[in-house]
Amino acid sequence: MKYDFDQIIERKGTDSIKWQRYGNDVIPLWVADMDFVSPEPIIKALHERVDHRVFGYAGPSEELIRVIQERLKRLYRWDVLPEHIIFVPGVVTGFNLAFHLFADPGDGVLVQPPVYSHFITDPVIRGRTRIDPPLTKKGDTYEIDFDAFERAITNRTKVYVLCNPHNPVGRVFRIDELERLAHICVRNKILICADEIHCDLLYPGYHHIPIATLLGNEVADRTITFMSPSKTFNLAGLSCSFAVITNPLLRKAWIRGSDGLIPHVNIMGLTAALAAFKEGQAWLDQCLSYLKGNRDFLVEYVREKLPSINMTNIEGTYLAWLDCRQSGIQGNPFHFFLKEGKVALNNGAECGKGGEGFVRLNFACPRKTLVEALERMAVALEKL
């Protein structure tokens, strides 16, 4: 089936957080969901589930678990057992449970800003100490300062949050980088919680490597990996994610600790996940091609029409990280573009150290929407 990613889908008045927050006169390119119709096999499967007309409690089917196993094996040569796969209603929920279970109040949670805002705020909300050696900006990309990373570790550092592919800077970390991070965590007995939710959204020349697959069982034994069909197939509102926990002691603690606190994944989310993983690849291939086109268009537009803004090279995700520090904007560029351009982006300052003066732009939308938003931004900058 050929999908039309140029099709404008009206999302105003549909309870969309993305389109509802800032009003009808604002183009929203912020929260990470897509303005595309999801794959037809998913829609068909959901209709069939609705037509059954019974919505009792549901659990993941053996088929869904087997499909995930096969997918991990095919993409990453990663052999996991059925019991290693634990379903959660969301990756953020999973991380907060991990902070609660595996770090005591006051213990350290290691993050690498600028990074997804929940990783900046949530450890502190849970009473843990955020330790945040930043990534180092070099030209149009970011690198890990391993010396700073290791110096930041204390005897109370219990959890490391790996975001790969990285949100918002767009890095897909290389095997040498991941192995070095893994060695440091193993040596310091730190639990790795890996946010790999964007793992399917990569551009040509890049390949995702789950950190749990490296260096034998010693890394897997201290890693919890989070994945989901939600970003890949635009299913965020259906709340279906999963964790891979191969260590039986971690898994036992997780199951015991989540009981009564975290709800089961709902029946519609499970239905959509199975259809996505079984029959969604054709849509994903076309979507990735369209996203690459949007990315490349955005690169050229910023270079030619927004020359005072610098854009980080995007290896993965559909999120652009824009450096506005040389643009002449007085104050926060998020507020500037919202007020003067009627374009809603993400506030880079919420991503922690190194995010000040940046905005994050979600380009998973029809090209017409992206063009209109960029033109508004250009007009706003011309008035400075």
Side-chain angles (χ1 to χ4, degrees):
M1 175 176 180
K2 176 70 174 175
Y3 291 93
D4 181 9
F5 293 93
D6 284 320
Q7 181 183 10
I8 303 292
I9 304 296
E10 180 58 74
R11 298 188 67 192
K12 297 174 185 175
T14 65
D15 302 318
S16 163
I17 292 174
K18 182 179 185 179
W19 283 85
Q20 188 169 289
R21 176 165 296 181
Y22 293 107
N24 289 336
D25 60 340
V26 172
I27 298 176
L29 302 182
W30 63 290
V31 71
D33 71 15
M34 306 185 196
D35 291 327
F36 305 139
V37 172
S38 292
E40 187 61 31
I42 297 175
I43 297 168
K44 180 175 181 289
L46 290 171
H47 275 297
E48 291 174 353
R49 175 59 72 177
V50 169
D51 289 342
H52 183 250
R53 299 174 298 165
V54 179
F55 305 103
Y57 296 115
S61 66
E62 292 182 2
E63 183 181 18
L64 174 56
I65 293 171
R66 184 177 69 254
V67 165
I68 291 173
Q69 288 178 275
E70 292 170 352
R71 185 179 185 83
L72 297 178
K73 176 71 171 179
R74 182 177 73 255
L75 294 177
Y76 314 119
R77 302 178 186 175
W78 190 9
D79 291 303
V80 302
L81 298 176
E83 59 265 29
H84 296 166
I85 299 169
I86 308 293
F87 285 84
V88 291
V91 167
V92 171
T93 301
F95 272 90
N96 277 273
L97 181 63
F99 300 152
H100 174 71
L101 292 177
F102 303 115
D104 292 329
D107 281 346
V109 174
L110 190 62
V111 301
Q112 294 170 291
V115 73
Y116 179 45
S117 59
H118 274 284
F119 300 155
I120 296 296
T121 59
D122 291 10
V124 177
I125 291 171
R126 300 292 156 230
R128 278 63 183 168
T129 301
R130 183 179 67 241
I131 303 171
D132 51 359
L135 297 172
T136 301
K137 193 174 192 306
K138 292 197 175 180
D140 66 352
T141 191
Y142 282 79
E143 296 181 1
I144 301 168
D145 183 337
F146 288 98
D147 292 335
F149 182 87
E150 194 152 15
R151 283 197 305 270
I153 295 171
T154 73
N155 60 1
R156 293 200 66 183
T157 305
K158 302 300 182 184
V159 176
Y160 162 50
V161 175
L162 169 66
C163 189
N164 182 41
H166 193 282
N167 169 15
V169 309
R171 280 296 318 278
V172 177
F173 292 115
R174 301 183 309 269
I175 188 169
D176 61 299
E177 296 171 301
L178 294 170
E179 286 182 340
R180 192 165 176 185
L181 289 169
H183 275 301
I184 293 170
C185 290
V186 169
R187 188 164 61 248
N188 289 278
K189 299 180 180 179
I190 295 171
L191 175 69
I192 302 169
C193 287
D195 170 17
E196 302 186 8
I197 197 171
H198 292 97
C199 61
D200 296 306
L201 300 169
L202 309 180
Y203 299 105
Y206 298 97
H207 177 68
H208 178 71
I209 302 170
I211 195 169
T213 63
L214 301 177
L215 306 177
N217 291 335
E218 61 180 354
V219 178
D221 280 348
R222 56 177 58 258
T223 300
I224 299 174
T225 303
F226 295 97
M227 294 178 168
S228 174
S230 63
K231 301 299 183 196
T232 307
F233 299 101
N234 201 27
L235 303 174
L238 293 178
S239 301
C240 180
S241 303
F242 62 91
V244 179
I245 311 176
T246 60
N247 183 323
L249 296 179
L250 287 179
R251 195 166 61 249
K252 182 178 180 180
W254 180 277
I255 293 169
R256 184 189 303 119
S258 64
D259 190 29
L261 286 178
I262 294 182
H264 298 292
V265 174
N266 73 84
I267 193 171
M268 305 304 278
L270 294 169
T271 298
L274 177 59
F277 289 141
K278 282 184 66 179
E279 302 179 84
Q281 190 62 46
W283 179 93
L284 178 57
D285 290 342
Q286 294 175 52
C287 183
L288 286 171
S289 177
Y290 193 88
L291 289 174
K292 181 182 181 297
N294 272 3
R295 180 199 65 169
D296 296 346
F297 173 83
L298 179 59
V299 169
E300 288 303 311
Y301 193 100
V302 169
R303 181 182 296 126
E304 294 179 7
K305 305 290 182 62
L306 307 174
S308 64
I309 292 177
N310 294 306
M311 179 172 152
T312 300
N313 182 44
I314 305 169
E315 302 171 358
T317 81
Y318 48 73
L319 306 168
W321 187 235
L322 304 179
D323 182 352
C324 305
R325 292 175 295 176
Q326 306 302 317
S327 66
I329 294 172
Q330 299 297 312
N332 191 317
F334 161 74
H335 297 299
F336 172 81
F337 286 119
L338 182 61
K339 180 180 178 182
E340 304 298 332
K342 299 298 181 182
V343 177
L345 307 168
N346 283 96
N347 184 353
E350 295 179 353
C351 296
K353 293 177 182 176
E356 303 85 356
F358 288 74
V359 288
R360 191 190 78 170
L361 183 152
N362 173 358
F363 56 87
C365 60
R367 182 72 57 82
K368 182 180 179 180
T369 303
L370 180 61
V371 170
E372 183 179 351
L374 291 171
E375 289 176 347
R376 290 187 183 191
M377 292 169 67
V379 170
L381 286 171
E382 288 172 1
K383 295 177 181 178
L384 289 174

